[in-house]
Amino acid sequence: MKARDILSVLDAEILTGDENLDMEFYAACGSDLMSDVMAYVKENVVLLTGLVNPQVIRTAEMMDIKLIVFIRGKRPEEKIVEMAREKGIAVMTTNHPMFIACGKLYSAGITERGVWD
Amino acid sequence: MTYGIIRKDFVIPANDFTIAGEASSCVKKMLIQLGVDPQKVKKTAISMYEAEINAVIHANGGIAEVEIDRNKILIRIKDDGPGIPDLELAMQEGYTTAPDSIREMGFGAGMGLPNMRRYADKLEIRTEVGKGTIVEITVFLTDN
Ligand SMILES: Nc1ncnc2c1ncn2[C@@H]1O[C@H](COP(=O)(O)OP(=O)(O)O)[C@@H](O)[C@H]1O
Ligand SMILES: [Mg+2]
């Protein structure tokens, strides 16, 4: 699924990273704990989180995650958006809560699962 | 890659959670520039980042020494923190002494050391209570 489809499925707003809109995503990880995200082994992952701080962007950077969706209407401050922009990471915000956002993406076809060993 | 050995040191500042990860970010960029395989870059970046975060949240910061040669990437994270009394216990998934304030910032799930073990090719930890901790992460660049 392309980032632009994720944007519409989640009724989201994009805050940075228009250039990533045509990237494909096959798996999603929803978590507020960054070490759990880093235990998730998969490529082309979209990260959904209710946590808003610079470490979310850092975690995405280390994991090569190119799209972060902040849920429940969370909106990172400009400094954090800027940090994502520098690292080539797209940022969206949706009003949906975590469960609904994940459910919508799953129904729309993001069904691949990550690997934990 | 045709280079000898590259060495770089970083300071990991104490108690500044917002800039924690700066050193790992620099190292990641360095490795990409050197043309290291993306999977190896990712393994290195994640392990170093977890170790860097640990130095910040558990040990008042420290230093990172990075050495890259044609065979391997070696990352040494040193701190003068409280040390780890029971390393075997600390290595278990979910074990943490981090307070809720750290969890509210997205860390302290007790997955840092297990993640380092998962991603590093070799992980060596030397720790002494009251003295500090040295975490050594190796990622091999060649197969032998
Ligand atoms: N550099 C360190 N100095 C002192 N204690 C540490 C250090 N690194 C890890 N620990 C101890 O090991 C525990 C487990 O570490 P880790 O697996 O990274 O989980 P977390 O950081 O989420 O607590 C920590 O809660 C802490 O008690
Ligand atoms: Mg940790």
Side-chain angles (χ1 to χ4, degrees):
Chain A
M1 184 180 228
K2 286 199 195 313
R4 65 173 72 254
D5 301 321
I6 293 174
L7 186 70
S8 72
V9 165
L10 294 180
D11 314 299
E13 181 188 333
I14 185 160
L15 304 178
T16 186
D18 284 341
E19 67 280 7
N20 292 7
L21 281 173
D22 284 316
M23 278 185 187
E24 290 283 351
F25 295 86
Y26 306 115
C29 180
S31 182
D32 291 350
L33 287 168
M34 294 302 110
S35 293
D36 279 351
V37 175
M38 286 188 280
Y40 187 92
V41 189
K42 196 83 191 178
E43 300 302 313
N44 302 78
V45 173
V46 44
L47 170 62
L48 292 97
T49 187
L51 181 76
V52 185
N53 70 34
Q55 299 310 333
V56 176
I57 311 296
R58 283 259 183 262
T59 300
E61 176 188 13
M62 303 308 160
M63 294 286 294
D64 298 322
I65 289 176
K66 294 296 177 193
L67 173 60
I68 302 169
V69 181
F70 290 102
I71 50 134
R72 254 181 289 126
K74 304 255 169 148
R75 197 172 266 279
E77 54 185 281
E78 184 48 36
K79 232 171 60 190
I80 295 178
V81 176
E82 183 53 40
M83 196 175 158
R85 187 175 298 131
E86 274 166 23
K87 299 177 190 306
I89 299 165
V91 176
M92 296 179 187
T93 177
T94 175
N95 282 328
H96 294 296
M98 183 67 98
F99 181 76
I100 303 293
C102 292
K104 278 177 178 286
L105 288 185
Y106 195 89
S107 309
I110 298 199
T111 55
E112 274 192 29
R113 50 171 306 159
V115 182
W116 281 272
D117 38 83
Chain B
M1 280 171 287
T2 52
Y3 47 79
I5 183 161
I6 296 172
R7 281 203 183 81
K8 204 161 163 58
D9 294 352
F10 299 86
V11 173
I12 303 169
N15 298 322
D16 194 344
F17 191 73
T18 55
I19 62 162
E22 214 39 74
S24 305
S25 177
C26 280
V27 169
K28 181 167 187 191
K29 284 180 198 136
M30 246 167 85
L31 295 175
I32 291 170
Q33 244 163 27
L34 289 168
V36 173
D37 168 66
Q39 285 308 319
K40 293 186 199 288
V41 174
K42 188 167 164 179
K43 281 164 67 158
T44 310
I46 296 172
S47 335
M48 180 176 178
Y49 179 50
E50 287 281 14
E52 191 180 351
I53 291 280
N54 275 359
V56 174
I57 66 183
H58 302 297
N60 285 309
I63 58 163
E65 297 169 351
V66 179
E67 275 176 37
I68 307 161
D69 62 37
R70 62 179 303 277
N71 296 312
K72 65 181 184 309
I73 304 159
L74 191 112
I75 317 264
R76 208 177 288 113
I77 310 267
K78 295 181 182 174
D79 67 62
D80 302 323
I84 306 174
D86 187 341
L87 188 57
E88 206 184 314
L89 183 64
M91 290 299 301
Q92 287 178 16
E93 292 201 354
Y95 177 83
T96 181
T97 59
D100 284 341
S101 59
I102 295 293
R103 247 166 325 273
E104 278 156 24
M105 297 189 296
F107 283 87
M111 293 297 287
L113 291 169
N115 275 347
M116 287 177 228
R117 185 164 51 192
R118 179 178 287 122
Y119 288 105
D121 291 330
K122 195 169 120 199
L123 179 67
E124 264 176 10
I125 301 173
R126 270 159 288 161
T127 182
E128 200 177 325
V129 173
K131 282 248 168 88
T133 302
I134 302 174
V135 175
E136 211 172 85
I137 294 158
T138 310
V139 171
F140 294 109
L141 296 172
T142 44
D143 294 327
N144 44 327

Short mmCIF file of all heavy atoms in Angstrom, two decimals, chain B residues 76-112:
data_model
loop_
_atom_site.label_atom_id
_atom_site.label_comp_id
_atom_site.label_asym_id
_atom_site.label_seq_id
_atom_site.Cartn_x
_atom_site.Cartn_y
_atom_site.Cartn_z
N ARG B 76 32.30 0.70 21.26
CA ARG B 76 32.50 0.52 22.69
C ARG B 76 31.82 1.68 23.41
O ARG B 76 32.17 2.83 23.19
CB ARG B 76 34.00 0.52 22.98
CG ARG B 76 34.38 -0.29 24.20
CD ARG B 76 35.90 -0.32 24.38
NE ARG B 76 36.60 -1.14 23.40
CZ ARG B 76 37.43 -0.69 22.46
NH1 ARG B 76 37.66 0.60 22.33
NH2 ARG B 76 38.03 -1.51 21.64
N ILE B 77 30.82 1.36 24.23
CA ILE B 77 30.12 2.40 24.99
C ILE B 77 30.55 2.26 26.45
O ILE B 77 30.34 1.21 27.06
CB ILE B 77 28.59 2.24 24.89
CG1 ILE B 77 28.14 2.09 23.43
CG2 ILE B 77 27.87 3.37 25.63
CD1 ILE B 77 27.76 3.34 22.73
N LYS B 78 31.19 3.30 26.98
CA LYS B 78 31.73 3.23 28.35
C LYS B 78 31.03 4.24 29.23
O LYS B 78 30.83 5.38 28.82
CB LYS B 78 33.21 3.60 28.36
CG LYS B 78 34.13 2.68 27.61
CD LYS B 78 35.54 3.23 27.79
CE LYS B 78 36.57 2.41 27.05
NZ LYS B 78 37.89 3.06 27.12
N ASP B 79 30.70 3.84 30.44
CA ASP B 79 30.17 4.82 31.39
C ASP B 79 30.76 4.60 32.78
O ASP B 79 31.31 3.54 33.07
CB ASP B 79 28.63 4.77 31.41
CG ASP B 79 28.09 3.46 31.98
OD1 ASP B 79 28.36 3.17 33.16
OD2 ASP B 79 27.36 2.74 31.25
N ASP B 80 30.64 5.62 33.61
CA ASP B 80 31.09 5.53 35.01
C ASP B 80 29.87 5.46 35.92
O ASP B 80 29.86 6.00 37.02
CB ASP B 80 31.93 6.76 35.39
CG ASP B 80 33.13 6.93 34.49
OD1 ASP B 80 33.72 5.90 34.12
OD2 ASP B 80 33.48 8.09 34.17
N GLY B 81 28.83 4.80 35.45
CA GLY B 81 27.58 4.72 36.19
C GLY B 81 27.61 3.68 37.30
O GLY B 81 28.68 3.23 37.71
N PRO B 82 26.44 3.27 37.74
CA PRO B 82 26.32 2.38 38.90
C PRO B 82 26.71 0.92 38.63
O PRO B 82 26.85 0.15 39.58
CB PRO B 82 24.84 2.47 39.25
CG PRO B 82 24.16 2.81 37.97
CD PRO B 82 25.12 3.68 37.23
N GLY B 83 26.88 0.54 37.37
CA GLY B 83 27.17 -0.85 37.06
C GLY B 83 25.91 -1.70 37.11
O GLY B 83 24.85 -1.23 37.53
N ILE B 84 26.03 -2.96 36.69
CA ILE B 84 24.87 -3.86 36.66
C ILE B 84 25.14 -5.02 37.63
O ILE B 84 26.02 -5.83 37.38
CB ILE B 84 24.63 -4.40 35.24
CG1 ILE B 84 24.51 -3.23 34.25
CG2 ILE B 84 23.38 -5.29 35.20
CD1 ILE B 84 24.42 -3.65 32.78
N PRO B 85 24.39 -5.10 38.74
CA PRO B 85 24.67 -6.12 39.76
C PRO B 85 24.47 -7.55 39.25
O PRO B 85 25.26 -8.43 39.59
CB PRO B 85 23.66 -5.81 40.86
CG PRO B 85 23.06 -4.49 40.55
CD PRO B 85 23.30 -4.19 39.11
N ASP B 86 23.43 -7.79 38.48
CA ASP B 86 23.17 -9.14 37.99
C ASP B 86 22.95 -9.09 36.48
O ASP B 86 21.85 -8.86 36.00
CB ASP B 86 21.93 -9.71 38.70
CG ASP B 86 21.69 -11.18 38.36
OD1 ASP B 86 22.23 -11.67 37.33
OD2 ASP B 86 20.97 -11.85 39.12
N LEU B 87 24.04 -9.32 35.76
CA LEU B 87 24.00 -9.14 34.31
C LEU B 87 23.08 -10.15 33.63
O LEU B 87 22.36 -9.82 32.69
CB LEU B 87 25.42 -9.23 33.74
CG LEU B 87 25.58 -8.89 32.26
CD1 LEU B 87 25.06 -7.49 31.95
CD2 LEU B 87 27.04 -9.00 31.84
N GLU B 88 23.08 -11.37 34.14
CA GLU B 88 22.25 -12.40 33.54
C GLU B 88 20.77 -12.01 33.61
O GLU B 88 20.01 -12.16 32.65
CB GLU B 88 22.48 -13.73 34.25
CG GLU B 88 22.19 -14.93 33.37
CD GLU B 88 22.34 -16.22 34.16
OE1 GLU B 88 23.34 -16.35 34.89
OE2 GLU B 88 21.45 -17.08 34.04
N LEU B 89 20.39 -11.47 34.75
CA LEU B 89 19.03 -11.00 34.96
C LEU B 89 18.72 -9.82 34.04
O LEU B 89 17.67 -9.76 33.38
CB LEU B 89 18.85 -10.60 36.43
CG LEU B 89 17.46 -10.14 36.89
CD1 LEU B 89 16.46 -11.28 36.75
CD2 LEU B 89 17.52 -9.65 38.34
N ALA B 90 19.67 -8.89 33.96
CA ALA B 90 19.48 -7.69 33.13
C ALA B 90 19.31 -8.03 31.65
O ALA B 90 18.63 -7.32 30.91
CB ALA B 90 20.65 -6.73 33.32
N MET B 91 19.92 -9.15 31.24
CA MET B 91 19.84 -9.56 29.83
C MET B 91 18.47 -10.15 29.47
O MET B 91 18.17 -10.33 28.30
CB MET B 91 20.89 -10.64 29.52
CG MET B 91 22.34 -10.17 29.51
SD MET B 91 22.75 -8.90 28.30
CE MET B 91 22.32 -9.69 26.77
N GLN B 92 17.65 -10.45 30.46
CA GLN B 92 16.35 -11.07 30.16
C GLN B 92 15.37 -10.06 29.59
O GLN B 92 15.32 -8.91 30.02
CB GLN B 92 15.77 -11.70 31.44
CG GLN B 92 16.52 -12.96 31.82
CD GLN B 92 16.00 -13.58 33.10
OE1 GLN B 92 14.92 -13.26 33.56
NE2 GLN B 92 16.79 -14.47 33.66
N GLU B 93 14.58 -10.51 28.63
CA GLU B 93 13.58 -9.63 28.01
C GLU B 93 12.59 -9.17 29.07
O GLU B 93 12.07 -9.96 29.84
CB GLU B 93 12.82 -10.38 26.91
CG GLU B 93 13.71 -10.71 25.72
CD GLU B 93 12.93 -10.98 24.44
OE1 GLU B 93 11.68 -11.03 24.49
OE2 GLU B 93 13.57 -11.13 23.39
N GLY B 94 12.36 -7.88 29.11
CA GLY B 94 11.37 -7.32 30.03
C GLY B 94 11.94 -6.90 31.37
O GLY B 94 11.28 -6.19 32.12
N TYR B 95 13.17 -7.32 31.68
CA TYR B 95 13.75 -6.89 32.96
C TYR B 95 14.20 -5.44 32.87
O TYR B 95 14.97 -5.07 31.98
CB TYR B 95 14.92 -7.77 33.40
CG TYR B 95 15.53 -7.25 34.70
CD1 TYR B 95 14.98 -7.59 35.92
CD2 TYR B 95 16.60 -6.36 34.67
CE1 TYR B 95 15.50 -7.06 37.11
CE2 TYR B 95 17.13 -5.83 35.85
CZ TYR B 95 16.57 -6.19 37.06
OH TYR B 95 17.07 -5.66 38.23
N THR B 96 13.73 -4.64 33.80
CA THR B 96 14.13 -3.23 33.79
C THR B 96 14.08 -2.64 35.19
O THR B 96 13.28 -3.07 36.02
CB THR B 96 13.22 -2.39 32.86
OG1 THR B 96 13.67 -1.03 32.88
CG2 THR B 96 11.75 -2.43 33.29
N THR B 97 14.95 -1.68 35.44
CA THR B 97 14.87 -0.93 36.69
C THR B 97 14.48 0.52 36.38
O THR B 97 14.49 1.38 37.27
CB THR B 97 16.23 -0.93 37.42
OG1 THR B 97 17.21 -0.36 36.55
CG2 THR B 97 16.65 -2.34 37.82
N ALA B 98 14.16 0.79 35.12
CA ALA B 98 13.83 2.16 34.72
C ALA B 98 12.50 2.60 35.34
O ALA B 98 11.56 1.82 35.40
CB ALA B 98 13.75 2.26 33.20
N PRO B 99 12.42 3.83 35.80
CA PRO B 99 11.18 4.35 36.37
C PRO B 99 10.14 4.66 35.29
O PRO B 99 10.46 4.72 34.10
CB PRO B 99 11.62 5.64 37.06
CG PRO B 99 12.83 6.08 36.32
CD PRO B 99 13.51 4.83 35.84
N ASP B 100 8.89 4.86 35.71
CA ASP B 100 7.81 5.17 34.76
C ASP B 100 8.09 6.40 33.92
O ASP B 100 7.69 6.48 32.77
CB ASP B 100 6.49 5.37 35.52
CG ASP B 100 5.90 4.03 35.98
OD1 ASP B 100 6.30 2.99 35.41
OD2 ASP B 100 5.06 4.03 36.90
N SER B 101 8.83 7.35 34.50
CA SER B 101 9.12 8.58 33.75
C SER B 101 9.89 8.25 32.46
O SER B 101 9.73 8.93 31.45
CB SER B 101 9.92 9.55 34.62
OG SER B 101 11.13 8.94 35.03
N ILE B 102 10.71 7.21 32.50
CA ILE B 102 11.47 6.81 31.31
C ILE B 102 10.54 6.10 30.32
O ILE B 102 10.61 6.31 29.11
CB ILE B 102 12.64 5.87 31.70
CG1 ILE B 102 13.66 6.61 32.57
CG2 ILE B 102 13.31 5.26 30.47
CD1 ILE B 102 14.42 7.72 31.88
N ARG B 103 9.62 5.29 30.87
CA ARG B 103 8.67 4.59 29.99
C ARG B 103 7.77 5.57 29.26
O ARG B 103 7.40 5.38 28.11
CB ARG B 103 7.84 3.57 30.78
CG ARG B 103 8.19 2.15 30.33
CD ARG B 103 7.71 1.05 31.21
NE ARG B 103 7.70 1.33 32.62
CZ ARG B 103 8.74 1.15 33.44
NH1 ARG B 103 9.89 0.70 32.97
NH2 ARG B 103 8.63 1.44 34.72
N GLU B 104 7.42 6.66 29.94
CA GLU B 104 6.60 7.68 29.28
C GLU B 104 7.33 8.30 28.11
O GLU B 104 6.72 8.87 27.21
CB GLU B 104 6.21 8.78 30.29
CG GLU B 104 5.02 8.37 31.15
CD GLU B 104 4.98 9.10 32.47
OE1 GLU B 104 5.54 10.22 32.57
OE2 GLU B 104 4.38 8.55 33.42
N MET B 105 8.65 8.17 28.09
CA MET B 105 9.41 8.69 26.96
C MET B 105 9.72 7.60 25.93
O MET B 105 10.46 7.82 24.99
CB MET B 105 10.69 9.34 27.46
CG MET B 105 10.39 10.53 28.37
SD MET B 105 11.84 11.50 28.79
CE MET B 105 12.78 10.33 29.73
N GLY B 106 9.15 6.42 26.14
CA GLY B 106 9.25 5.37 25.12
C GLY B 106 10.34 4.34 25.35
O GLY B 106 10.53 3.44 24.55
N PHE B 107 11.07 4.49 26.49
CA PHE B 107 12.11 3.49 26.78
C PHE B 107 11.84 2.82 28.12
O PHE B 107 10.83 3.10 28.75
CB PHE B 107 13.50 4.13 26.70
CG PHE B 107 13.90 4.31 25.27
CD1 PHE B 107 13.54 5.46 24.58
CD2 PHE B 107 14.54 3.30 24.59
CE1 PHE B 107 13.83 5.60 23.23
CE2 PHE B 107 14.84 3.44 23.24
CZ PHE B 107 14.49 4.59 22.56
N GLY B 108 12.70 1.90 28.53
CA GLY B 108 12.49 1.23 29.80
C GLY B 108 11.52 0.06 29.71
O GLY B 108 10.82 -0.27 30.65
N ALA B 109 11.49 -0.60 28.54
CA ALA B 109 10.66 -1.80 28.38
C ALA B 109 11.48 -3.05 28.69
O ALA B 109 10.98 -4.17 28.58
CB ALA B 109 10.11 -1.87 26.96
N GLY B 110 12.74 -2.87 29.02
CA GLY B 110 13.59 -4.02 29.32
C GLY B 110 13.98 -4.81 28.09
O GLY B 110 14.25 -6.00 28.16
N MET B 111 14.01 -4.12 26.95
CA MET B 111 14.32 -4.81 25.69
C MET B 111 15.64 -4.33 25.09
O MET B 111 16.03 -4.80 24.03
CB MET B 111 13.20 -4.56 24.67
CG MET B 111 11.88 -5.19 25.02
SD MET B 111 11.99 -6.98 25.08
CE MET B 111 12.13 -7.31 23.32
N GLY B 112 16.32 -3.43 25.76
CA GLY B 112 17.54 -2.85 25.19
C GLY B 112 18.67 -3.85 25.05
O GLY B 112 19.21 -4.05 23.96
#
